[in-house]
Amino acid sequence: MSLILIFLSSGLFLGWSLGANDAANIFGTAVGTKMLRFTTAAIVGSVFVIIGAVISGAGASHTLGKLGAVNAIAGSFTVAFSAAFTVFWMTKLKLPVSTSQAVVGAIIGWNFFAGKPTDASALTKIVTTWVVCPVLAAIFSFSLFFLIKFILKHSRISIIRHDSYTRIGLLFVGAFGAYSLGANNIANVMGVFIPVSPFPDINITSFITLSSVQLLFLLGAVAIAVGIFTYSKRVMMTVGNSIFKLSPTGAFIVVLSSSLVLFLFASSELQGWLVSHNLPGWPLVPVSSSQAVVGAVLGIGLAKSGRNIDFSVIGKIGMGWIATPVISGALSFVFLFIMQNLFMQPVFA
Amino acid sequence: MSLFFNQTTQLEGDIESLLDDISNAVMIFSEAIKNYLKDETEIFLKRMQDVKKLESDVDELRREIRYKLYTKMLIPESRGDMLSMLETIDDVIDTTEEVLIQFEIQKPKIPKILNKDVIELVEASCKAADFTVMAARSYIKNNDMINDYINKTYFFEHEADKVENRIKRKLFSTNEIVSDLAEKMHISKFVELIAKLSDDGQDVCERLSVATIKRSI
């Protein structure tokens, strides 16, 4: 069991860094501008990340599984480790990076190493989603901007009431954002371990059963929660005070838009409902919450006449789509080689 | 949650009362000066007491609002703007009280021939202060009329300046109205004091314009 935990550690580290960084996308402005206390944000964020991961995490993981089912635990460890290392290294170099893109690169690296074919249709779906994600977030925030402006203009609520609603609204969309983050991004953290999950199914009561995968997700989500509590405050203060200077209502729109995107790409219930009503469904894919936020901020910028928008961020995101998976894939290949030949661990079956 | 909204309603009520008090003080001020000019000393003194009472009520309310804004209603983005608006609008009522007290202490001898001009000055200054209170109310209520009120405040502040200069010119251009320089200076000082009310209004409106821009989404 302790060996298993060691192997899971790279996934848990990914989870921790996800919690440390991405919780700031959800609660950054609210905490940074002192609209919410950090402790409140951290508790709500952690609880909803866990709920989202355990209840709705399966959908996006399934798509990652189609891309490449890593079938030996040492292989899973190395794939997650390569992704984590890429994220860590690129963050240190101040390059834009997304866990989702690093994980996909690392899985493809494993496919190459193990000589397994990469499912082209799954890869196309994933890459298309990366491009759609910030665009969709921008469309949502652009529309929400005008909707909320219209509501505020016609509701005639006082600024004090407006601020009270915004504070409560930020807490609610924060909870929704954390749920969506857990549901969408748990696949990045624990997806590669699904085929080799060491846990049995557990019956908590006669009604509630936690499957082996859900237990894995629970563990990953706890790692995210630990990341939120131990390290995200610093990131939140940075986000709230320097990078995105948003008004509280602007922050509400950004968090809601990016959370909606994450939710759309994670909710199998919504997808099932759409398909059953003959509407187009979309793939359930782990996407980057940071890129969704950047898209949403750009959407608001465009709605406010498009001035003061730094379009170079779009180029940086585009570069991330290519650079991150390539670097992570190459690292994954090298690390798998080392794991297999130096540590004598089977990395694929 | 309902406690949260109760506090919001209470705070809204406090701010409304504060603005009502300032608005009333401005109206009483205008009438008090007219009473002074007509030598209706008793009524003047009664009105001065009313303004004093309103001023101390406003001080009390302002302290309560400040306490609530900082301890219970955390609205950091607009809290600073709101407080600075409340502090500057407080200058309006302070000026009404201060001018009346100085009238009572110094008893300036305003020649009857200047009464019409002084009343015109009081009215322009009070209109500027009135529109300031309306602008503040619009800011709190988040409605579109704020720019209208701010513009009107600026207009009446400008009018008050013009009347102020006209009175001073009349005073200093000839010795027929008042011959003693000390007396001229004295009256001139009081004309400036009355016009200060419109300047205070202008200060509030300048802050309100910035605060309104900051509040756009």
Side-chain angles (χ1 to χ4, degrees):
Chain A
M1 192 68 188
S2 58
L3 192 66
I4 290 168
L5 274 179
I6 291 171
F7 280 128
L8 282 176
S9 64
S10 60
L12 297 178
F13 174 65
L14 258 185
W16 178 85
S17 77
L18 187 90
N21 288 304
D22 289 16
N25 292 333
I26 302 165
F27 285 113
T29 308
V31 172
T33 58
K34 298 195 172 75
M35 294 284 276
L36 282 182
R37 274 201 301 271
F38 171 73
T39 323
T40 314
I43 292 171
V44 171
S46 301
V47 168
F48 281 89
V49 155
I50 293 173
I51 295 174
V54 175
I55 295 179
S56 295
S61 315
H62 189 64
T63 311
L64 269 194
K66 269 199 234 161
L67 186 68
V70 183
N71 54 12
I73 196 156
S76 305
F77 166 82
T78 315
V79 167
F81 179 77
S82 312
F85 189 78
T86 309
V87 171
F88 170 76
W89 189 52
M90 286 182 73
T91 308
K92 214 166 168 63
L93 293 177
K94 294 197 168 33
L95 292 169
V97 64
S98 134
T99 316
S100 313
Q101 282 132 34
V103 167
V104 165
I107 292 176
I108 296 173
W110 181 85
N111 283 349
F112 270 104
F113 191 81
K116 311 264 183 198
T118 300
D119 184 338
S121 82
L123 184 62
T124 317
K125 263 188 202 175
I126 291 172
V127 174
T128 313
T129 315
W130 290 348
V131 182
V132 170
C133 158
V135 175
L136 202 58
I139 293 171
F140 282 157
S141 72
F142 186 88
S143 322
L144 278 169
F145 177 87
F146 288 107
L147 178 72
I148 288 180
K149 209 173 166 183
F150 179 84
I151 294 172
L152 285 178
K153 195 175 158 66
H154 291 86
S155 61
R156 302 237 173 275
I157 51 170
S158 75
I159 59 168
I160 297 162
R161 204 157 285 264
H162 175 194
D163 282 16
S164 308
Y165 291 159
T166 309
R167 262 180 86 201
I168 294 170
L170 278 169
L171 190 64
F172 276 102
V173 292
F176 173 58
Y179 176 90
S180 304
L181 183 72
N184 186 285
N185 276 20
I186 193 68
N188 294 331
V189 176
M190 284 290 148
V192 290
F193 293 97
I194 294 174
V196 291
S197 175
F199 303 113
D201 292 358
I202 290 180
N203 288 321
I204 295 174
T205 65
S206 51
F207 298 108
I208 304 171
T209 306
L210 280 182
S211 68
S212 157
V213 173
Q214 281 178 319
L215 277 170
L216 199 60
F217 286 173
L218 178 63
L219 193 65
V222 169
I224 298 177
V226 172
I228 296 176
F229 269 100
T230 53
Y231 208 78
S232 71
K233 188 172 185 179
R234 202 185 297 199
V235 188
M236 284 183 191
M237 290 307 180
T238 314
V239 170
N241 293 320
S242 57
I243 303 172
F244 303 129
K245 199 76 189 157
L246 287 170
S247 68
T249 314
F252 173 83
I253 295 172
V254 165
V255 176
L256 182 58
S257 310
S258 49
S259 307
L260 275 171
V261 173
L262 260 70
F263 180 75
L264 287 181
F265 290 120
S267 171
S268 40
E269 290 81 10
L270 184 65
Q271 194 203 35
W273 184 86
L274 285 170
V275 172
S276 70
H277 287 76
N278 295 323
L279 290 164
W282 43 72
L284 303 178
V285 174
V287 289
S288 159
S289 70
S290 310
Q291 291 180 4
V293 165
V294 172
V297 172
L298 282 177
I300 288 199
L302 286 172
K304 289 166 99 170
S305 83
R307 275 173 299 166
N308 307 325
I309 293 181
D310 183 2
F311 284 99
S312 68
V313 288
I314 301 174
K316 278 186 188 164
I317 292 180
M319 198 186 80
W321 287 334
I322 301 163
T324 313
V326 168
I327 293 170
S328 166
L331 276 175
S332 168
F333 193 91
V334 173
F335 288 156
L336 285 164
F337 181 82
I338 295 171
M339 187 57 112
Q340 188 185 46
N341 299 302
L342 199 66
F343 294 99
M344 300 298 171
Q345 295 288 333
V347 292
F348 61 89
Chain B
M1 194 73 88
S2 72
L3 182 74
F4 188 71
F5 286 119
N6 280 345
Q7 284 172 349
T8 308
T9 314
Q10 216 175 44
L11 186 60
E12 280 173 338
D14 285 350
I15 295 174
E16 276 291 311
S17 310
L18 180 136
L19 293 176
D20 286 344
D21 284 353
I22 295 175
S23 175
N24 288 338
V26 171
M27 286 190 286
I28 299 172
F29 168 81
S30 160
E31 293 308 308
I33 302 283
K34 287 174 195 166
N35 294 140
Y36 181 87
L37 295 174
K38 287 188 225 158
D39 298 323
E40 297 166 342
T41 315
E42 217 166 292
I43 312 176
F44 168 81
L45 290 174
K46 165 80 179 61
R47 293 206 198 274
M48 188 184 73
Q49 291 308 324
D50 292 346
V51 170
K52 273 186 176 174
K53 165 85 175 60
L54 285 169
E55 199 276 335
S56 80
D57 287 353
V58 163
D59 273 350
E60 184 63 34
L61 273 170
R62 193 166 47 91
R63 271 192 288 275
E64 252 172 65
I65 293 167
R66 186 167 49 196
Y67 173 76
K68 281 179 189 157
L69 277 176
Y70 269 95
T71 55
K72 297 193 178 85
M73 305 290 312
L74 286 167
I75 44 172
E77 276 288 311
S78 41
R79 173 167 74 186
D81 290 333
M82 176 87 91
L83 278 174
S84 108
M85 188 274 281
L86 291 174
E87 301 285 339
T88 38
I89 207 165
D90 188 54
D91 292 345
V92 172
I93 194 166
D94 285 350
T95 301
T96 58
E97 187 197 23
E98 181 58 22
V99 175
L100 295 184
I101 291 175
Q102 292 312 315
F103 265 96
E104 191 249 337
I105 298 172
Q106 302 185 27
K107 298 186 178 58
K109 287 181 194 148
I110 295 175
K112 294 287 175 215
I113 196 166
L114 290 180
N115 275 6
K116 200 170 150 261
D117 294 306
V118 174
I119 290 173
E120 200 182 328
L121 174 66
V122 170
E123 279 175 355
S125 260
C126 287
K127 272 186 185 161
D130 248 352
F131 281 115
T132 304
V133 175
M134 287 188 210
R137 232 185 268 276
S138 290
Y139 170 72
I140 308 279
K141 289 189 173 163
N142 239 342
N143 74 36
D144 302 335
M145 294 298 290
I146 186 160
N147 286 330
D148 256 6
Y149 295 141
I150 289 176
N151 280 334
K152 283 180 178 154
T153 305
Y154 290 163
F155 173 80
F156 284 109
E157 191 274 335
H158 191 59
E159 284 301 298
D161 278 352
K162 282 199 282 190
V163 182
E164 179 191 346
N165 288 332
R166 191 173 72 212
I167 299 172
K168 283 182 180 172
R169 245 179 239 115
K170 279 187 183 174
L171 264 178
F172 289 97
S173 62
T174 161
N175 282 339
E176 281 169 27
I177 301 175
V178 181
S179 55
D180 182 24
L181 182 62
E183 221 168 297
K184 283 182 186 184
M185 300 291 282
H186 196 213
I187 296 167
S188 167
K189 175 76 190 155
F190 273 84
V191 168
E192 279 168 18
L193 273 177
I194 297 171
K196 185 177 178 291
L197 190 61
S198 66
D199 296 334
D200 291 341
Q202 190 184 30
D203 287 348
V204 177
C205 286
E206 269 159 17
R207 279 170 200 269
L208 282 176
S209 326
V210 178
T212 312
I213 295 166
K214 274 167 73 181
R215 278 200 72 82
S216 61
I217 304 178

